Amino acid sequence: MKVVIIGATGNVGSRTMNYAVRAGHEVTAYVRRPEAVAASRGIRIVKGNAEDTTALAEAAKGSEAIVVAITGAVTDASFMQRNIPSIVKAAKAAHIRRVILVSAFGAGDTADKAAWFMKLAYRTVLGKFFRDKAAADAILEQSGLDYTIVYPVNLKDAPASFKVTAKPLAEVAKVPGMPTLPFDSVAQEIVAILSDPHTIGQRILITTARGWTPKQ
């Protein structure tokens, strides 16, 4: 596939870019700082801002999917809400239907599935951050595009683990404790989701193998 990655310099976006290229996809890295992306075969680097609908639509022409892997500061109450509408408009202008958004576990009703102490953090200390993500998720859901929203649990910089589970949120009862995954593991799952049509219209939890309990 020809894929645009917005946020290809971030922890998740950069790794998603690398795994996508390894999987044979052609990637357009749409970034604010082109110098932060190493030139490589299979990667086209385009400078731009996610809020610039015209520039993003031009960069995305001929592509088949967009992966959105940007995030704001925890104190920014509107970062994602400022960016997602422009991305949706650009996708439609470039005739791209497939959009994968990297959200975070704890956004919106996903917090209801968290352990009590994590739920408290998501709704108080990190409340602005997660409310912004939840609002942006809703904008994408209502866009009419073929979306998938992924909700990774806590992330860390570590070698990829094979003990990873990607489950539709509708099948998840609880996420006990504080499961943590490597950035690489999440990136691998995003690349797999990219090619899986069964994930269209789904909200998907990405967690450890034991970091979830199923609904009965």
Side-chain angles (χ1 to χ4, degrees):
M1 297 176 68
K2 292 183 178 180
V3 184
V4 178
I5 297 181
I6 304 172
T9 59
N11 287 319
V12 174
S14 61
R15 290 165 171 84
T16 301
M17 175 181 68
N18 292 333
Y19 283 113
V21 170
R22 291 182 199 178
H25 301 300
E26 297 178 37
V27 174
T28 294
Y30 186 78
V31 292
R32 289 178 299 170
R33 297 182 297 111
E35 68 278 6
V37 181
S40 177
R41 185 173 182 178
I43 299 173
R44 170 177 166 250
I45 305 170
V46 178
K47 182 177 181 178
N49 188 301
E51 292 184 76
D52 189 337
T53 301
T54 302
L56 177 54
E58 183 63 30
K61 279 184 180 178
S63 296
E64 299 156 83
I66 296 174
V67 176
V68 185
I70 53 176
T71 194
V74 294
T75 56
D76 192 332
S78 64
F79 177 84
M80 292 304 299
Q81 294 173 83
R82 296 196 306 269
N83 282 278
I84 283 296
S86 300
I87 293 170
V88 167
K89 289 178 182 177
K92 291 179 177 179
H95 305 291
I96 297 173
R97 293 205 53 79
R98 188 79 170 105
V99 177
I100 297 175
L101 172 62
V102 183
S103 186
F105 181 70
D109 60 357
T110 68
D112 296 336
K113 301 177 187 292
W116 70 267
F117 56 92
M118 293 304 297
K119 187 186 302 183
L120 182 63
Y122 295 149
R123 290 179 171 168
T124 56
V125 179
L126 300 171
K128 289 182 180 179
F129 178 77
F130 282 109
R131 284 192 293 272
D132 178 42
K133 283 194 172 292
D137 297 348
I139 291 170
L140 181 58
E141 286 184 90
Q142 296 162 14
S143 68
L145 297 173
D146 294 337
Y147 71 87
T148 304
I149 304 174
V150 298
Y151 296 87
V153 293
N154 304 285
L155 299 177
K156 63 182 178 181
D157 189 1
S161 167
F162 292 101
K163 297 179 180 179
V164 181
T165 296
K167 287 288 179 182
L169 277 166
E171 298 178 14
V172 178
K174 288 292 181 183
V175 177
M178 192 171 66
T180 304
L181 281 174
F183 294 117
D184 282 85
S185 297
V186 172
Q188 289 175 335
E189 289 299 319
I190 291 169
V191 173
I193 287 168
L194 185 63
S195 303
D196 184 356
H198 295 99
T199 63
I200 292 174
Q202 295 276 359
R203 302 167 70 218
I204 295 179
L205 172 73
I206 303 180
T207 186
T208 61
R210 296 184 178 180
W212 71 294
T213 57
K215 286 187 175 179
Q216 300 299 319

